[in-house]
Amino acid sequence: MTRAPSRTLRALARGARAYSQVFAASSVAPYLSKSKPVRRKGFELDLVVSSITAEVTDVVSFTLRRPGGGDLPAWVPGAHLDVFLPSGIQRQYSLCGDPADRGSYRIAVRRIDGGGGGSVAMHSEVAEGHPLTVRGPRNAFTFIDVESYLFIAGGIGITPILPMVREAARRGADWTLVYVGRSLATMPFVAELEAIGGGRLELRPDDEYGAPDAADLVRRAKPGAAVYVCGPPPLIDAARAVQPAFDPTGSLHSERFSAPPVVGGRPFDVHLARAGVTVTVGAGESALAAIRRAVPAVRYSCQQGFCGSCRHRVLDGGVDHRDTKLRPAERETDMLICVSRAAGDHLTLDL
């Protein structure tokens, strides 16, 4: 026996048909039910430099706020900002303030005269009161929740580590920080670290202790500890090599401030269509490094394949994609020249 729909069900059906006619099929539907496409851009913040502080030799910190005051987007330890400099250069700097302070961001920059120009521009072109556009915060250095931490920071690598130490202390976790550098005069934020308390802080300047030995440093980790390393590439690479043997139940997390070494590379040619030149990329160098010899102003930032600043369209040739940024569909047409390479002997780029 088939039963007729109840009065309630018939009313609901009429309502559904009316909704469809008005919100989906009528001429006013586009205005009543607008689409919401996924946002890919538009997360820039126009901030102002409220203060600049000389921390140690060649290192200054910049405090950024909204021009009219007010809260900034929240962030967690390990986060960074994409900073757009007045010259048009884009660089990334770790947030080294306190995540609990929603009114300001702090970044710190060491001046490197022989670098890519970003640090020199921050030191010489940015002054108190100047506007500064940033994007973020973003996080590529995830801080996990465990009972024990070993932090190893080298020089300016203290910037993402400092908020992590603060957070570990707030959680009541067991933590040790080994902080290395050329000398105490070059190591920023020592006084802030000494004021945190609740853990163990080891200051090991090279002029007193000699060059750091990664095995000796990693040996301080307790079983199951999370080891966080940030600093010069040799320090990170050495720590990654020895950590599994000393603490197989733990984990190692790292962030580097320069390009990683090329692994399994072989030489290839890159033709730059708009520049009308062809450059040869060596087996041990990145396409970005080779292209910069011909086009010094080519844009780049992280040099590690996650920010997307060095993205360029591929006009011809296959790509060995080594980035963590592009989606599969984007890899059909584009590449990040800081880490990705030719799959064959040549590439042609719209550059």
Side-chain angles (χ1 to χ4, degrees), residues 54-59 108 110 153-159 177-194 201-209:
E55 301 293 347
V56 292
T57 303
D58 291 335
V59 175
R110 183 183 297 282
I156 198 63
I158 192 62
T159 50
L177 167 61
V178 185
Y179 187 9
V180 302
R182 296 192 306 273
S183 66
L184 279 177
T186 67
M187 297 164 63
F189 306 121
V190 168
E192 289 188 32
L193 291 164
E194 290 175 332
L201 171 63
E202 294 187 33
L203 303 176
R204 297 180 62 87
D206 294 353
D207 60 356
E208 296 182 32
Y209 293 87

Side-chain angles (χ1 to χ4, degrees), residues 39-47 66 72-73 81-84 90 105 132-138:
R39 293 177 65 192
R40 302 296 181 193
K41 299 181 180 178
F43 295 97
E44 287 81 9
L45 296 171
D46 293 321
L47 306 181
R66 291 188 185 276
L72 292 163
L81 295 176
D82 300 330
V83 178
F84 299 87
Q90 177 185 343
Y105 290 149
L132 203 60
T133 298
V134 306
R135 182 189 294 130
R138 298 194 295 168

Side-chain angles (χ1 to χ4, degrees), residues 187-267:
M187 297 164 63
F189 306 121
V190 168
E192 289 188 32
L193 291 164
E194 290 175 332
I196 293 176
R200 291 166 294 282
L201 171 63
E202 294 187 33
L203 303 176
R204 297 180 62 87
D206 294 353
D207 60 356
E208 296 182 32
Y209 293 87
D213 176 75
D216 177 58
L217 303 185
V218 171
R219 192 177 289 114
R220 290 162 169 76
K222 294 186 177 180
V227 180
Y228 281 84
V229 188
C230 188
L235 176 65
I236 295 174
D237 295 340
R240 295 191 69 87
V242 302
Q243 185 270 339
F246 285 111
D247 186 17
T249 62
S251 59
L252 188 140
H253 314 262
S254 63
E255 184 173 58
R256 60 175 73 231
F257 291 140
S258 59
V262 175
V263 177
R266 61 187 186 85

Side-chain angles (χ1 to χ4, degrees), residues 204-349:
R204 297 180 62 87
D206 294 353
D207 60 356
E208 296 182 32
Y209 293 87
D213 176 75
D216 177 58
L217 303 185
V218 171
R219 192 177 289 114
R220 290 162 169 76
K222 294 186 177 180
V227 180
Y228 281 84
V229 188
C230 188
L235 176 65
I236 295 174
D237 295 340
R240 295 191 69 87
V242 302
Q243 185 270 339
F246 285 111
D247 186 17
T249 62
S251 59
L252 188 140
H253 314 262
S254 63
E255 184 173 58
R256 60 175 73 231
F257 291 140
S258 59
V262 175
V263 177
R266 61 187 186 85
F268 60 95
D269 291 333
V270 176
H271 179 68
L272 311 180
R274 281 184 279 136
V277 298
T278 298
V279 298
T280 298
V281 181
E285 68 175 344
S286 67
L288 171 64
I291 290 169
R292 288 187 66 203
R293 292 196 291 269
V295 186
V298 65
R299 65 183 185 272
Y300 71 95
S301 184
C302 75
Q303 302 183 75
Q304 298 172 58
F306 64 78
C307 80
S309 299
C310 66
R311 176 176 173 173
H312 290 282
R313 186 165 293 274
V314 179
L315 301 179
D316 184 54
V319 179
D320 173 12
H321 292 284
R322 302 186 178 192
D323 67 277
T324 58
K325 171 71 174 179
L326 297 182
R327 299 186 299 275
E330 295 172 319
R331 293 187 173 192
E332 296 295 323
T333 57
D334 295 63
M335 72 177 286
L336 302 189
I337 62 174
C338 67
V339 292
S340 295
R341 308 179 66 78
D345 295 327
H346 76 278
L347 284 173
T348 299
L349 300 180

Side-chain angles (χ1 to χ4, degrees), residues 5 7 14 21 37 78 84 109 117 120 149 152 168 197 213 215 241 254 260 329 347:
R7 181 178 300 176
R14 288 195 298 271
Q21 291 169 358
F84 299 87
V109 182
V120 174
Y149 299 92
I152 302 173
D213 176 75
S254 63
L347 284 173

Side-chain angles (χ1 to χ4, degrees), residues 53-105:
T53 303
E55 301 293 347
V56 292
T57 303
D58 291 335
V59 175
V60 296
S61 64
F62 300 82
T63 300
L64 313 177
R65 301 181 185 274
R66 291 188 185 276
D71 284 350
L72 292 163
W75 60 282
V76 295
H80 67 269
L81 295 176
D82 300 330
V83 178
F84 299 87
L85 304 181
S87 61
I89 294 175
Q90 177 185 343
R91 292 293 183 267
Q92 295 171 321
Y93 298 109
S94 298
L95 286 164
C96 59
D98 187 346
D101 177 10
R102 295 290 302 279
S104 69
Y105 290 149

